Amino acid sequence: MPAPRELESLVAAARLYYLENLSQAEVAQRLGTSRSNVSRMLASAVEQGVVEIRVNDPAGRDRELEEALRTRFGLRAVRVAQRTANGDAEQQVGTQAGRLLLSELRDGMTVALSWGSALQSMVWHTTVEHDYAVKLVQLVGGLSAVENEVSGHELVRELASRLGATYRYLHAPATLTTAAARDALAEEASVEQALAEARRADIAFVGIGTPAHGSSAAILTALALDDEEASQLRKAGPVGDIAARYFDAEGNPVLGAVHERVLAVTLSDLAAIPTVVGVACGRVKAAGVLGALRGRLVDVLVCDESLARAVLALARDTDRKPDTDESEDLR
């Protein structure tokens, strides 16, 4: 900590330079010192915390965090919604995702969507000046336990309406009571064709869930797993899901009942889509987003500032931890 007299000098120099917009030469003349000394004082004022510099991007993005995530995980692109005093994080994420969507759209494209509140925000904050000759399709069936406005059906319909585009429903539930029922329904012509069209999408926008919250938890509830199935799921260690397909901390698919009784494209199908954009909001999603990034399940990430920081911190923490036996972790 600088001495009181030195601190007063730093504050005086900073006020004249940053608040009164004097040049360094004018500050030097006012304080009776040299220009080079003023330069050192201003640098020290920043170092000592007398002056704090923050760049408020008019686009509402935190470019530093974007670059940190992009280089750390080899992403094609990142959009991090900058935190504002009175802003709603999910609204800001939706705005960034909507802008990204419009920048990627080309006539003739097929755009696939999953579901969830982050994608709902993207849809609601997508406004266009002209129609796009694109088609919207679903990656996963519907689920009555999920609020109607965030369901895949509603999102593709609403986004198609906003874009002046066409859309195709996947007329099937997301979860079935048995694997045989899922297989039988998947062989129905309309369902088979809808899933095939989703697999051929040019770009996909997907929410990234976490098993204990929101639509991801609703899926597990709807599956009504028995004790053995629930035990197998816990042992697999799911940290998140994309389009109702669960994955572990390294992004590997979680198999068993949660895989066999869900009607949706698989994680392998998603990997074949040229561009997959993950959209998520909130620190609670950190483990799920980190798993998706480590498994390279998404090519582009759109998130809020708090989630971006949480993901980077969790990545550092888990990188430092030695490997442990999974059976010990579950005790």
Side-chain angles (χ1 to χ4, degrees):
M1 187 72 183
R5 186 177 297 277
E6 181 184 352
L7 184 60
E8 288 179 9
S9 298
L10 296 182
V11 172
R15 283 186 176 279
L16 292 170
Y17 184 74
Y18 289 107
L19 299 183
E20 297 186 24
N21 295 316
L22 300 185
S23 68
Q24 291 189 16
E26 290 170 328
V27 174
Q29 185 177 17
R30 185 77 68 86
L31 298 180
T33 187
S34 67
R35 183 180 180 282
S36 60
N37 192 40
V38 168
S39 179
R40 287 192 294 270
M41 291 168 71
L42 293 174
S44 180
V46 173
E47 292 171 2
Q48 299 294 337
V50 172
V51 172
E52 294 182 354
I53 299 174
R54 179 180 176 88
V55 177
N56 291 308
D57 190 333
R61 293 165 53 185
D62 190 313
R63 312 274 177 161
E64 185 176 340
L65 282 174
E66 289 178 357
E67 183 61 16
L69 286 166
R70 190 189 66 79
T71 56
R72 175 68 174 79
F73 298 105
L75 291 161
R76 193 177 306 166
V78 182
R79 297 289 185 272
V80 175
Q82 195 172 51
R83 180 187 300 152
T84 59
N86 301 314
D88 177 272
E90 195 160 77
Q91 177 181 331
Q92 292 163 347
V93 168
T95 298
Q96 295 299 335
R99 290 173 181 169
L100 179 66
L101 166 67
L102 296 182
S103 73
E104 294 291 323
L105 285 185
R106 303 290 183 273
D107 284 349
M109 271 187 166
T110 297
V111 180
L113 299 180
S114 63
W115 58 16
S117 58
L119 285 191
Q120 177 198 41
S121 182
M122 179 192 80
V123 170
W124 284 3
H125 291 92
T126 297
T127 57
V128 302
E129 297 178 354
H130 63 86
D131 290 349
Y132 288 84
V134 299
K135 186 171 187 178
L136 281 295
V137 297
Q138 293 177 243
L139 292 165
V140 57
L143 187 65
S144 59
V146 175
E147 293 181 18
N148 184 59
E149 63 268 22
V150 302
S151 71
H153 281 75
E154 179 61 21
L155 293 184
V156 296
R157 186 202 62 77
E158 177 64 24
L159 185 57
S161 175
R162 289 169 178 262
L163 296 176
T166 60
Y167 62 95
R168 178 174 190 159
Y169 281 150
L170 172 54
H171 288 291
T175 62
L176 283 299
T177 54
T178 66
R182 193 286 308 266
D183 293 344
L185 187 55
E187 291 175 0
E188 290 289 332
S190 62
V191 175
E192 185 177 31
Q193 291 165 11
L195 286 172
E197 196 159 13
R199 295 185 188 102
R200 294 193 298 268
D202 300 289
I203 188 169
F205 282 77
V206 299
I208 302 175
T210 187
H213 297 86
S215 57
S216 303
I219 295 165
L220 296 179
T221 300
L223 285 169
L225 303 176
D226 62 30
D227 290 344
E228 182 179 351
E229 291 168 338
S231 176
Q232 290 175 347
L233 177 63
R234 286 193 296 273
K235 289 178 180 178
V239 298
D241 82 286
I242 291 175
R245 295 300 188 183
Y246 291 85
F247 51 85
D248 65 17
E250 297 302 320
N252 302 307
V254 172
L255 304 179
V258 294
H259 183 81
E260 297 164 356
R261 289 163 49 195
V262 166
L263 201 151
V265 298
T266 65
L267 294 179
S268 295
D269 293 332
L270 273 175
I273 295 175
T275 302
V276 178
V277 181
V279 185
C281 182
R283 297 175 62 88
V284 70
K285 300 289 186 71
V289 171
L290 180 56
L293 295 178
R294 283 179 166 163
R296 298 188 177 276
L297 303 181
V298 299
D299 307 295
V300 179
L301 177 65
V302 184
C303 68
D304 62 301
E305 184 178 331
S306 66
L307 177 54
R309 294 186 187 282
V311 168
L312 290 167
L314 184 59
R316 289 191 295 269
D317 290 345
T318 53
D319 285 347
R320 286 196 293 262
K321 287 181 180 178
D323 292 336
T324 57
D325 184 81
E326 187 179 70
S327 61
E328 293 181 357
D329 293 339
L330 294 167
R331 287 174 188 166

